[in-house]
Amino acid sequence: MLSTTLAIGVLLGLGFICAKAARMIRLPSVTGYIIAGLALGPSGFRLITQQTVGANLDYFTELALMLVAFGIGEHLEWNKLKPALKSVTLISIFESGLAFLLVGAGVFTIASISGSGQTGWAGSDYLVLALLLGAISIATAPAATMMVMRESKAAGPVSDTLMAVVAANNGLAITFFGMALSAARQLAGATGGSHTIAVLASVFEILGSLVLGVITGLIIDLVIHKLRRRGDMLTFGLALLLLLDAVAGMTGLSPLLAGMAAGCAIVNRNRRDVRLFRTLNDFEPPFYILFFTLAGAHLDIDSLAVAGWLCLAYFVLRMAGKATGSYIGARLGGAPETVRRWLGLALMPQAGIAIGLVFLIQSDSSLSNYARLITPVVLGSVFLAEVIGPAAARYAFAKAGETPASLEPSPPTRHDQAETTEAGGYKLVPWSWGRLAPLTKYRGTIMFVLTDLASSAGLARMAAIIAHGMQAKPLALRLQHDGPQAKTLGVLSTASEQIRSMGSEMLSEISDEGELPFAVAHAAKEYNSLFVLAAHPPGNSQRDFHRTLDELVEKAPCPVISVRFRGVMHTERILVPVASRAELRAVGAVVWALSKVGMHRITLMTMLPCVAIEEELEDAEGDLLEWARDEGLGHSLRALAVGTDNRVQAIVEELAEHDLLVMPVIHQSGLQRFFTGSLAHDVVQRANKPMLLVHEGRGANPMSMPL
């Protein structure tokens, strides 16, 4: 048995690792969390015992459920739900009712025929079993559903309807269970309680929970609206939600319904101040991981064998009832076709509420005989639902066309012309900015190294642009031993044709110097190269390329630009992120060259700490514009300063609005690189746009601007 602190660390760590592994095989993170808990719990390596799970860590489960419930309330905006109110009501009634009827009838039939109950059970005993399991089957797990929605960024009719149905679903589950519990006690011969009292108690629990939640939500909204700092909002909002959870628990009300009502009250206010939801989103992940790993630790694989066919029947009939009922309700309510087809599949997850209802049965002495069979049936079904359910929900969102991947449009075509698809997996937009004007005076060459046909056209395009801006000639270098003569001629011909289409001419050199770094260094000196361009190869040769690039940067007498082709190769909107004047100097000549050709729009971007005030951001932008004026750059350049906690994320987000990234790569020693890392390298791993990485090298000085 692990200590509580160590257990939390192990649950978080293994849950994180398993979630990453699950996503690699296209499963939701929730499935990975549950598998991690299962591996650590009593059904796995027994590192997390029932005592640790129950006595010491259940508080995290309660907190996570409250946060989940509050998040569901955000989706219950009246203006959005009003048009679909009829369909939501009918879907909730039919999917809950059919699940109750199918599970109840199926359990009664199978248990009676197979004799699954205890010796001497009569028909009334099997009816009690059927009533209780039918009522439990109505409940849906809001946490898993919410987690999958957030992770897949699902948005649309199915997602909106699902949140409303889940909220109504769990209210109905509490009501049905209260009535079924009363009927079960009567059939079991227990004294006390009546159907009327049970119904009234359920209604009081629902109404009381909603009233308590609405009052809390209004108080939160009143105070949060006056706060400005995220820390203050988080502190006050979390304090009120924890108090809501405690008060609901002490008064016998439902924290889940109360949390939903609080979120619903805030989102339906006229001013709709939803900053607390965004603030909590950053706070929730560790609690969600603990919640789902603990749910996995609660599961007992042995319960599948104990429950047998009854468990499988419960699982299948529950899903059949929810899928069929949601389809019928959606059809009668006039819901969209995607809601009819895919909503039922997203209702599969079942966990916390169902387990809580089982615990209520276990605590009732008059129903203890039934709890011995109900517990393994429900826990076994929960195991199946929590492992399969999240994947089914994500599949439903994808098939309904509500995830970003299913909605992502094809890249737009520039200048109303078709794109040319290259063998390297990128698309090169045809040149349409007019022919480059002939130069009367040349300062040197811009060398580009041709190693494969796939990158030859794109590399030639970039070399011609930079060469024209720098008043130089593009020079193609090809190693003699890189392939047969026919292949070499094909590569050179493709590059030459691309440059000719732009109105320029290309020099070429076929070298027999041996290794690439030596050949480049020799040719660069001979032809007075101002820059050397080399393309990142596709596929598995990246590691070899980086070794070659390091040698090339060390030996070349001029800066080296490594060109990475991804997506659509276009250069109209260019992003240049820099963190210092040294980085500005490193990319200055490239920025100059790009600003002098075509209709390029360049954004110079610098990043400050997130706490930077408006005046500091304005000063930083002023410094960038001053540098641009000093260097004589044109009016096509704009300055942008952003405050951020994560430089890589800020660059990637801004790059989404640009076509090309230009970044400096300052030389660092091995030890320095190990400790400080490389911003450019991290951006490369996450960005999906073409990019020019400017390496200043050991012996090369940053290139100066043309006069």
Side-chain angles (χ1 to χ4, degrees):
M1 173 181 172
L2 302 179
S3 67
T4 302
T5 303
L6 183 56
I8 292 174
V10 172
L11 285 168
L12 286 173
L14 187 61
F16 176 81
I17 293 171
C18 289
K20 291 294 183 183
R23 294 180 69 177
M24 289 175 64
I25 57 176
R26 305 187 68 82
L27 288 175
S29 298
V30 177
T31 304
Y33 298 148
I34 293 170
I35 292 174
L38 189 66
L40 293 172
S43 295
F45 296 107
R46 302 180 183 275
L47 295 176
I48 308 295
T49 66
Q50 287 293 352
Q51 179 183 350
T52 308
V53 169
N56 299 328
L57 297 179
D58 263 358
Y59 174 74
F60 293 101
T61 299
E62 294 180 16
L63 177 58
L65 274 175
M66 172 54 70
L67 295 175
V68 167
F70 185 69
I72 290 176
E74 184 188 3
H75 295 270
L76 303 180
E77 191 171 356
W78 174 248
N79 290 334
K80 291 183 178 180
L81 292 178
K82 188 176 180 180
L85 185 61
K86 179 182 176 182
S87 62
V88 168
T89 302
L90 290 173
I91 290 170
S92 302
I93 292 173
F94 275 94
E95 59 92 7
S96 299
L98 269 182
F100 178 83
L101 291 174
L102 287 182
V103 170
V107 166
F108 181 82
T109 304
I110 294 173
S112 300
I113 294 175
S114 64
S116 300
Q118 296 182 10
T119 305
W121 269 21
S124 60
D125 294 305
Y126 290 110
L127 183 57
V128 170
L129 184 70
L131 284 172
L132 294 175
L133 284 174
I136 294 173
S137 71
I138 297 173
T140 303
T145 306
M146 173 72 79
M147 190 74 174
V148 174
M149 275 187 58
R150 287 184 177 176
E151 186 178 89
S152 58
K153 299 180 181 178
V158 174
S159 310
D160 293 338
T161 305
L162 178 63
M163 286 294 95
V165 169
V166 168
N169 180 281
N170 289 298
L172 289 172
I174 293 172
T175 304
F176 271 73
F177 183 78
M179 293 187 290
L181 197 62
S182 175
R185 287 169 177 159
Q186 295 289 333
L187 291 170
T191 58
S194 66
H195 294 297
T196 304
I197 293 176
V199 172
L200 290 176
S202 299
V203 171
F204 173 78
E205 180 179 351
I206 293 173
L207 292 179
S209 302
L210 295 178
V211 170
L212 180 62
V214 168
I215 293 173
T216 305
L218 294 177
I219 295 173
I220 291 175
D221 180 75
L222 180 65
V223 177
I224 290 292
H225 181 66
K226 299 178 181 179
L227 301 179
R228 294 292 177 266
R229 296 178 57 188
R230 288 169 60 91
D232 293 340
M233 287 186 281
L234 176 62
T235 302
F236 181 79
L238 191 59
L240 264 291
L241 290 177
L242 291 177
L243 287 173
L244 174 62
D245 181 77
V247 172
M250 290 187 294
T251 55
L253 301 178
S254 170
L256 189 66
L257 291 180
M260 291 179 188
C264 181
I266 293 174
V267 81
N268 282 286
R269 298 278 288 171
N270 282 335
R271 58 178 168 235
R272 201 180 182 279
D273 187 347
V274 295
R275 291 176 298 160
L276 179 59
F277 293 102
R278 304 288 84 79
T279 303
L280 286 173
N281 286 348
D282 297 333
F283 175 78
E284 291 168 348
F287 294 96
Y288 278 172
I289 295 177
L290 284 175
F291 175 80
F292 288 111
T293 51
L294 288 172
H298 272 105
L299 300 179
D300 186 358
I301 294 180
D302 294 337
S303 63
L304 293 174
V306 173
W309 288 105
L310 199 59
C311 172
L312 187 60
Y314 173 93
F315 176 76
V316 173
L317 292 171
R318 175 180 175 271
M319 271 311 306
K322 288 192 171 291
T324 306
S326 62
Y327 181 84
I328 295 173
R331 190 175 184 85
L332 293 176
E337 180 63 25
T338 53
V339 175
R340 301 179 197 177
R341 294 184 61 185
W342 302 112
L343 181 65
L345 197 59
L347 291 170
M348 183 186 296
Q350 185 180 44
I353 295 177
I355 294 174
L357 297 179
V358 169
F359 290 160
L360 288 177
I361 297 173
Q362 289 178 343
S363 64
D364 193 320
S365 59
S366 64
L367 301 175
S368 58
N369 289 336
Y370 307 103
R372 293 190 183 97
L373 186 56
I374 290 174
T375 300
V377 168
V378 174
L379 291 183
S381 176
V382 163
F383 170 75
L384 295 173
E386 286 298 275
V387 173
I388 301 173
R394 190 165 84 169
Y395 177 79
F397 295 140
K399 296 299 289 184
E402 298 188 3
T403 59
S406 61
L407 293 171
E408 186 176 359
S410 57
T413 302
R414 301 285 182 183
H415 308 298
D416 299 322
Q417 294 191 30
E419 296 164 350
T420 303
T421 302
E422 302 291 341
Y426 70 97
K427 296 180 179 180
L428 182 63
V429 176
W431 182 262
S432 60
W433 280 343
R435 298 173 67 81
L436 301 177
L439 298 175
T440 58
K441 188 177 181 180
Y442 296 96
R443 303 178 64 219
T445 64
I446 301 297
M447 181 186 299
F448 59 104
V449 183
L450 294 176
T451 57
D452 60 87
L453 185 63
S455 63
S456 58
L459 199 59
R461 166 82 62 85
M462 291 310 310
I465 292 174
I466 296 173
H468 193 79
M470 294 292 297
Q471 301 175 11
K473 283 188 176 183
L475 167 67
L477 176 68
R478 171 77 174 180
L479 295 189
Q480 193 171 37
H481 56 71
D482 268 356
Q485 185 178 6
K487 182 178 179 181
T488 295
L489 293 176
V491 170
L492 290 172
S493 175
T494 299
S496 178
E497 182 180 348
Q498 175 64 217
I499 292 178
R500 194 179 302 115
S501 70
M502 301 169 65
S504 186
E505 295 294 332
M506 179 187 87
L507 302 175
S508 62
E509 169 75 5
I510 301 177
S511 174
D512 58 358
E513 285 291 326
E515 295 297 324
L516 179 64
F518 294 98
V520 169
H522 181 271
K525 291 177 182 177
E526 182 178 350
Y527 288 95
N528 187 27
S529 294
L530 308 178
F531 282 105
V532 172
L533 276 67
H536 284 249
N540 298 323
S541 52
Q542 291 284 354
R543 182 175 298 179
D544 293 336
F545 172 76
H546 284 298
R547 284 198 294 265
T548 303
L549 180 63
D550 286 342
E551 293 183 36
L552 183 59
V553 170
E554 184 174 354
K555 298 186 183 312
C558 59
V560 176
I561 302 175
S562 58
V563 186
R564 182 181 288 269
F565 296 105
R566 285 180 177 174
V568 180
M569 183 61 194
H570 189 59
T571 62
E572 182 176 338
R573 299 168 300 176
I574 302 170
L575 178 66
V576 186
V578 292
S580 64
R581 282 279 179 150
E583 292 188 357
L584 269 175
R585 288 192 296 271
V587 296
V590 177
V591 173
W592 168 279
L594 293 173
S595 71
K596 300 302 177 183
V597 179
M599 294 177 287
H600 291 134
R601 290 177 291 166
I602 302 172
T603 300
L604 278 180
M605 175 183 178
T606 190
M607 293 143 291
L608 276 63
C610 66
V611 295
I613 60 177
E614 190 67 29
E615 288 79 2
E616 291 175 316
L617 296 176
E618 292 176 357
D619 289 344
E621 291 178 354
D623 288 342
L624 291 177
L625 291 175
E626 182 183 356
W627 174 85
R629 286 193 298 269
D630 291 343
E631 301 295 345
L633 294 176
H635 299 292
S636 60
L637 185 144
R638 77 179 181 103
L640 173 66
V642 297
T644 180
D645 284 326
N646 188 326
R647 288 183 175 181
V648 175
Q649 182 178 346
I651 293 172
V652 172
E653 289 177 354
E654 184 63 29
L655 184 58
E657 304 299 323
H658 292 76
D659 304 307
L660 176 70
L661 177 73
V662 179
M663 280 195 74
V665 182
I666 307 299
H667 172 75
Q668 296 175 322
S669 65
L671 189 61
Q672 185 183 11
R673 183 188 305 176
F674 175 80
F675 282 108
T676 63
S678 169
L679 177 62
H681 178 268
D682 292 337
V683 172
V684 166
Q685 302 304 311
R686 293 185 51 184
N688 196 30
K689 294 287 182 74
M691 56 193 75
L692 306 181
L693 304 177
V694 184
H695 304 257
E696 67 172 3
R698 288 179 183 270
N701 295 318
M703 197 65 219
S704 61
M705 311 294 183
L707 299 176

